[in-house]
Amino acid sequence: MNPSALPVYRHIANALTARLDSGEFPPGSRLPAVRALAAEFGVNTLTALAAYRYLEQQQRVLARPRAGYFAALPAAPSSPGTAAPLPSAAALVDVSSRMSTLLQLGDERIHTQLHMAEAAASLYPAAELARRLQLTLTRQPELIGAHLPAGEQRRLLAALVRLGHERGLALDEGGILLTHGITEGISLALRHLTRPGDTVAVETPVYFGLLQTLEGLGLKALEIPCTPEAGLSLEALEFALHHGPAVKCLVCVPNFQNPTGALMPDDNKKRLLALARKHGVTIIEDDVFGDLHYGNGRPTPLKAWDRDGDVIYCASFTKSFAPSFRLGWLAAGRHHGALARLCASSTLVSSPLLQVVLADVLDSGDYARISQRLRLQLAAQMTATADAVLQHFPRGTRVRRPQGGVVLWVECPETVDSTRLLQRALAEGISFAPGVAFSAAPRFGHCLRINCGQPFTPALAAAIARLGQLALGN
Ligand SMILES: Cc1ncc(COP(=O)(O)O)c(C=O)c1O
């Protein structure tokens, strides 16, 4: 079409497109209000609105109800057919949507995905597990149509008791419950210990999935500072227990906390138990990363020193063995009966087939071998990732190398806004978890969590270098 024959709104859309292309409005940034746009081009608001609607159809802008128009991410040239807009980091400040928004960062157009807290799929023993599953089904096809036979159940529970003993836990078979990942275990424990409106102490920064769980149960989070050096601050917790609102329970991750990677020293673990006892606070211990220790010794769970039944211990195989199995377990001590009843109204039972395979890998010693291989790879990847971050990120960036787990917490100078950085990074196909996702309050805006669960390839090195450059110009 002859450009001079274009309607006025298309001229305005073209002018805006040029400004979007020039980077004047980076992806995610707010665009001029409709009125301001109309004034700028000397047209009425309907014409300005038509320009935005046209750009919306072209997927160059996003409309957010009551917030206005925002620059969209550029479409990836490799996937011309995909119409859905990519996630917008701005939504991450909203607790109820941050989890789903972060999950959307798994969009295949994002070629370097560093926002998750799990190892790359290629690091898990997929072929070996596929063979095991096939073998199990060939030998026991009845598992498809039956509950777990009692003998198999005892075998799995006995294996979990042995695993617990290796961690210093005194367990018995009747005190263990299988759950759908650790998430279900924590949720059951919270349902048992609290009522809607109650306050639960959590670490801050905190794994956003926990905030989501609390929100779903109508609970309030009391965020207690946690440092990469020593984990939960006992001084801050003690102060909060004395002066803050009544706390029903504490959820904490003493071993390789997410996102800081902190490992709580054993002395602090013992002091934490004494503090909880003094204030009558039950602790829900999340030990999802404990098996991913880089050094020789596995860190001891809090539960190992719990003489009074103050700890509900929750563990999982999702990070250390097979994410898709979703197999978790818990040892709740005196709370066992109540949790067993809640469990019956929740998952009822975990998959018999997967439980038999888990019993096999535990019995055969294969779990120990598989998790050892995984954590050696993770240790090397973490070192390479931390080195790259320190080399390329702005001066003053702090990283404390964790001793286990799959994530690296990066504290940039206060001038860096990691949500804005994420918008720029997404536009270049790189994701990470921005600091604001890890608190219900507007904190940690200068921090980011980078996944180190992926093999450190030249492409990954280049992506981290690029992130560093973007942070320098942020
Ligand atoms: C601290 C923490 N707890 C729990 C979970 C979820 O564990 P699961 O997959 O076993 O439910 C995660 C996942 O990232 C996590 O980081």
Side-chain angles (χ1 to χ4, degrees):
M1 187 189 284
N2 173 1
S4 60
L6 282 179
V8 177
Y9 78 88
R10 288 284 301 274
H11 281 290
I12 300 174
N14 286 350
L16 276 174
T17 302
R19 288 161 74 181
L20 287 163
D21 288 342
S22 75
E24 182 184 338
F25 299 119
S29 62
R30 187 192 290 275
L31 297 171
V34 174
R35 259 178 219 289
L37 189 69
E40 186 183 335
F41 284 90
V43 296
N44 62 32
T45 49
L46 285 180
T47 306
L49 194 61
Y52 273 141
R53 295 235 165 100
Y54 175 76
L55 288 175
E56 204 183 346
Q57 276 169 9
Q58 305 297 309
Q59 297 185 24
R60 295 304 313 266
V61 306
L62 295 171
R64 298 223 187 93
R66 289 185 299 281
Y69 285 90
F70 293 79
L73 289 161
S78 56
S79 50
T82 34
L86 280 158
S88 154
L92 295 175
V93 294
D94 170 3
V95 176
S96 57
S97 68
R98 75 185 69 194
M99 186 76 168
S100 47
T101 309
L102 278 165
L103 289 176
Q104 284 176 51
L105 294 180
D107 190 297
E108 62 196 14
R109 285 168 287 177
I110 300 170
H111 55 73
T112 307
Q113 300 193 6
L114 301 176
H115 61 279
M116 325 75 70
E118 62 190 29
S122 61
L123 299 193
Y124 292 104
E128 183 181 335
L129 289 184
R131 274 195 305 278
R132 268 196 187 277
L133 278 162
Q134 273 157 1
L135 195 67
T136 307
L137 271 178
T138 309
R139 283 190 189 145
Q140 296 169 270
E142 70 279 6
L143 286 174
I144 290 291
H147 288 301
L148 192 65
E152 292 288 13
Q153 187 168 17
R154 276 196 300 277
R155 190 163 71 92
L156 175 58
L157 293 175
L160 291 174
V161 167
R162 280 198 303 280
L163 191 71
H165 282 169
E166 289 164 19
R167 300 175 187 180
L169 309 181
L171 305 175
D172 60 72
E173 292 169 23
I176 292 177
L177 279 178
L178 267 290
T179 57
H180 190 72
I182 214 167
T183 304
E184 191 197 25
I186 293 173
S187 182
L188 293 177
L190 285 168
R191 280 174 61 197
H192 164 55
L193 295 171
T194 64
R195 291 289 163 269
D198 283 348
T199 298
V200 176
V202 300
E203 296 142 332
T204 188
V206 62
Y207 163 56
F208 40 77
L210 177 60
L211 291 180
Q212 188 100 350
T213 302
L214 295 179
E215 193 179 51
L217 294 173
L219 299 169
K220 294 183 198 138
L222 178 65
E223 299 189 16
I224 310 291
C226 172
T227 65
E229 291 73 30
L232 186 75
S233 160
L234 299 185
E235 292 67 31
L237 177 64
E238 183 157 28
F239 184 86
L241 292 176
H242 272 296
H243 304 287
V247 166
K248 270 296 163 67
C249 58
L250 162 75
V251 184
C252 76
V253 188
N255 298 329
F256 316 127
Q257 196 257 1
N258 178 4
T260 61
L263 174 62
M264 184 183 276
D266 284 354
D267 271 355
N268 287 24
K269 287 176 181 164
K270 294 175 203 165
R271 281 174 52 212
L272 173 57
L273 279 174
L275 194 60
R277 174 112 283 252
K278 183 170 152 202
H279 291 270
V281 170
T282 303
I283 299 175
I284 301 172
E285 177 174 20
D286 174 343
D287 197 18
V288 73
F289 294 113
D291 278 355
L292 298 182
H293 53 99
Y294 304 153
N296 286 335
R298 189 201 194 280
T300 307
L302 269 181
K303 180 77 181 160
W305 291 285
D306 176 30
R307 299 284 163 262
D308 305 295
D310 292 328
V311 178
I312 297 180
Y313 177 73
C314 302
S316 177
F317 294 97
T318 54
K319 306 287 179 188
S320 54
F321 173 54
S324 76
F325 276 31
R326 301 291 309 141
L327 284 171
W329 59 283
L330 60 79
R334 65 188 150 91
H335 304 281
H336 177 84
L339 289 191
R341 282 190 294 281
L342 282 177
C343 195
S345 70
S346 180
T347 25
L348 196 55
V349 286
S350 303
S351 153
L353 174 61
L354 300 183
Q355 290 187 62
V356 168
V357 173
L358 179 64
D360 286 344
V361 294
L362 289 171
D363 273 351
S364 61
D366 285 349
Y367 174 65
R369 176 179 53 77
I370 290 166
S371 57
Q372 184 190 26
R373 193 180 53 206
L374 177 59
R375 48 177 209 265
L376 291 178
Q377 277 165 308
L378 291 176
Q381 290 165 200
M382 188 282 297
T383 303
T385 309
D387 288 346
V389 167
L390 288 171
Q391 184 184 347
H392 295 289
F393 272 60
R395 190 186 293 272
T397 296
R398 287 188 308 166
V399 164
R400 184 169 165 109
R401 291 162 197 264
Q403 298 171 53
V406 283
V407 293
L408 195 65
W409 183 239
V410 180
E411 295 175 87
C412 295
E414 298 276 346
T415 47
V416 172
D417 173 347
S418 67
T419 305
R420 206 167 56 210
L421 177 64
L422 178 60
Q423 289 293 14
R424 301 224 167 107
L426 286 176
E428 300 196 16
I430 307 168
S431 68
F432 60 81
V436 292
F438 298 97
S439 171
R443 299 194 187 108
F444 312 116
H446 62 295
C447 301
L448 53 148
R449 189 194 72 186
I450 295 184
N451 173 261
C452 43
Q454 320 208 18
F456 197 78
T457 58
L460 180 51
I464 293 194
R466 183 66 189 137
L467 269 185
Q469 276 172 0
L470 292 173
L472 277 166
N474 190 253

